[in-house]
Amino acid sequence: MKIVIINSGSSSIKYQLIEMPEQKVICSGMIDRIGLDTSNLTYTTITNKIVESLPIANHKVGLQKIAQLLMDEKVGVIQSTSEIKAVGHRVVHGGSSFSNTVEITTEVKDQIRQLFELAPLHNPANLEGIIVAEQIFESAKQVAVFDTAFHQTMPVEAYKYAIPNYLLSENKIRAYGFHGTSHKYVSEKAIQYLTQTAKHKADKIVTIHLGNGCSMTAVKDGKSIDHTLGFGPMNGLIMGTRSGDVDPSVIFYMVKSLGYSTDEVNALLQKQSGMLGLTGYSDLRDIESNAEAGNKECQLALAMNAYRIKKFIGSYATVLNGLDAIVFTAGIGENSDYIRRLVCADMEYFGLELDQEQNSIRSKEIREINTPSAKTKILVVPTNEEVEIANQVFDLLR
């Protein structure tokens, strides 16, 4: 069964064409920096690889470009869209409506649309991917896999807010958690590696997903028990354009004393804050290069970013009552030795000791970057949300 996986992020699209159940990747690629004139496109098959820098205005344009390549006469991998039996879509927010993978219907699309306000950088992009895919792959089943599903195992003391009870029972206001597909995939890979290859305990681990959006999960015995993101995907860690944790009093002050509207505050915290607000750049590669060149604002922003991550490691070590390993993943987590170095500095109390030489190595394989004597493992586990989505789509349709 050929399944196309579309993972529409806030500023990127990752895609794969996978033959199931073999998990054979026929084609894969990515478009990042969407909305800029310098968007990057990669398209890789067994025999061809295309790398381009071109303007990609929005997700619709990006998805149309991907479809053109899949069916291109020279580098394409399918003759007709009828070869595709299913399209699996990553959808960030399922609210209280979705705790499992579902086949997409008009009702499902309406419910995804109703959740736009809770995930304004993601659910609109996710829905756009669904709508375009329905037009391109007309005969394929469209399936949604929700990022919130993995965190349904969080205990009530973790997901409930200290606000009047009716707001949970009647309005479903609670912490839902996000990036669940990634956290599920890398935690399972980490546990497998730790128990089978490293012969190390894997009962208590913290997974750290660092991309344009960032989050951390406390994973106990393979299950999510706490998570940095909550009702919507904007609290917790400092992100590309999102502020992360902010004292709610700041919002009231901006509205009442500074004259901001609530829409303006929302836009500021979602799209103008985080690393962008601190440095003028939203892409960490630009921030790191400027920091290394002596830019003080970029240096401070990176230090703040790492400080926030360190605080949650300590918090989750307490919740887990111990720490067997931490796991770095996603675009920044996998590729930024700079951020990993800052995060792991002065963390010996938690058994974290970074091997600087191992940390500088880039690889697509799971690897340890801790010293041999370290009590707590430090892993880099490349995430593959697309394979995880393909597994769930195949299981549903089978």
Side-chain angles (χ1 to χ4, degrees):
M1 179 189 294
K2 288 185 174 66
I3 301 176
V4 171
I5 305 302
I6 296 176
N7 183 346
S8 294
S10 56
S11 62
S12 66
I13 302 171
K14 290 193 287 184
Y15 62 95
Q16 290 188 12
L17 174 56
I18 301 176
E19 183 72 45
M20 294 295 290
E22 298 88 346
Q23 296 187 359
K24 179 183 177 182
V25 179
I26 299 171
C27 170
S28 65
M30 179 177 181
I31 300 176
D32 67 3
R33 299 192 180 199
I34 290 175
L36 302 179
D37 291 335
T38 55
S39 302
N40 299 315
L41 179 147
T42 60
Y43 173 85
T44 305
T45 68
I46 296 173
T47 56
N48 293 285
K49 183 172 183 178
I50 295 174
V51 179
E52 291 184 56
S53 180
L54 71 169
I56 300 289
N58 52 48
H59 288 75
K60 183 175 182 179
V61 173
L63 287 164
Q64 289 172 337
K65 179 66 175 177
I66 292 166
Q68 290 170 6
L69 288 168
L70 288 175
M71 296 182 288
D72 186 85
E73 290 184 1
K74 294 182 179 179
V75 299
V77 290
I78 57 175
Q79 297 293 320
S80 168
T81 58
S82 63
E83 296 177 42
I84 305 302
K85 302 304 178 186
V87 182
H89 298 268
R90 175 204 179 204
V91 180
V92 165
H93 209 313
S96 58
S97 301
F98 304 105
S99 58
N100 295 298
T101 300
V102 297
E103 187 173 341
I104 295 169
T105 63
T106 300
E107 181 183 2
V108 169
K109 286 186 288 186
D110 287 342
Q111 289 175 308
I112 292 171
R113 189 177 289 106
Q114 290 169 15
L115 294 165
F116 276 10
E117 289 188 359
L118 302 188
L121 298 184
H122 293 86
N123 269 35
N126 302 154
L127 184 60
E128 183 71 28
I130 292 168
I131 292 170
V132 175
E134 287 177 329
Q135 297 167 358
I136 296 170
F137 305 103
E138 294 180 332
S139 62
K141 298 285 188 182
Q142 306 288 330
V143 178
V145 177
F146 295 92
D147 268 8
T148 47
F150 179 59
H151 303 296
Q152 294 301 305
T153 53
M154 288 194 298
V156 64
E157 57 266 31
Y159 71 72
K160 187 174 181 180
Y161 294 120
I163 55 180
N165 291 326
Y166 72 86
L167 289 169
L168 172 60
S169 59
E170 297 178 18
N171 304 109
K172 310 300 180 185
I173 297 178
R174 50 160 287 182
Y176 289 99
F178 301 93
H179 297 142
T181 305
S182 176
H183 285 287
K184 180 177 186 294
Y185 180 85
V186 299
S187 62
E188 289 174 350
K189 289 293 183 182
I191 291 168
Q192 182 182 37
Y193 171 85
L194 290 168
T195 56
Q196 297 181 11
T197 303
K199 307 301 180 184
H200 188 81
K201 288 182 64 180
D203 303 330
K204 304 167 183 178
I205 66 177
V206 174
T207 53
I208 308 170
H209 177 107
L210 303 177
N212 192 54
C214 303
S215 65
M216 293 170 60
T217 302
V219 180
K220 187 171 186 178
D221 299 326
K223 296 181 179 180
S224 170
I225 64 164
D226 208 343
H227 183 72
T228 56
L229 294 173
F231 184 59
M234 71 179 288
N235 63 305
L237 304 181
I238 297 171
M239 300 175 237
T241 65
R242 281 169 276 174
S243 63
D245 282 349
V246 167
D247 181 347
S249 300
V250 172
I251 298 172
F252 297 123
Y253 177 77
M254 292 176 69
V255 172
K256 292 183 177 181
S257 300
L258 302 184
Y260 284 79
S261 69
T262 54
D263 286 343
E264 287 172 336
V265 173
N266 183 59
L268 185 144
L269 295 178
Q270 294 269 15
K271 299 180 180 181
Q272 302 164 26
S273 296
M275 300 302 277
L276 176 64
L278 292 170
T279 69
Y281 304 98
S282 62
D283 192 296
L284 196 83
R285 291 166 290 191
D286 298 327
I287 297 169
E288 287 186 1
S289 63
N290 279 278
E292 290 171 350
N295 185 305
K296 298 297 184 183
E297 288 184 344
C298 290
Q299 291 171 355
L300 176 58
L302 290 167
M304 290 172 62
N305 191 310
Y307 181 80
R308 188 76 57 88
I309 296 169
K310 291 158 77 90
K311 286 209 303 183
F312 275 105
I313 290 174
S315 173
Y316 287 169
T318 301
V319 170
L320 292 164
N321 192 26
L323 189 62
D324 297 322
I326 65 171
V327 179
F328 289 97
T329 194
I332 293 170
E334 294 168 30
N335 296 304
S336 177
D337 58 312
Y338 194 126
I339 283 291
R340 294 194 300 260
R341 184 173 68 250
L342 290 178
V343 169
C344 296
D346 302 319
M347 295 287 277
E348 294 84 0
Y349 181 82
F350 296 98
L352 297 170
E353 297 175 6
L354 189 70
D355 185 311
Q356 300 294 348
E357 183 176 344
Q358 293 298 317
N359 184 46
S360 66
I361 296 172
R362 286 200 178 189
S363 171
K364 294 183 179 180
E365 303 299 322
I366 184 171
R367 63 196 187 278
E368 291 184 32
I369 57 173
N370 51 272
T371 62
S373 61
K375 295 180 180 179
T376 302
K377 297 291 186 183
I378 308 171
L379 303 182
V380 178
V381 181
T383 191
N384 197 327
E385 294 169 291
E386 291 75 25
V387 167
E388 179 62 32
I389 292 169
N391 288 333
Q392 295 189 38
V393 171
F394 183 74
D395 288 343
L396 175 71
L397 298 182
R398 182 176 58 177

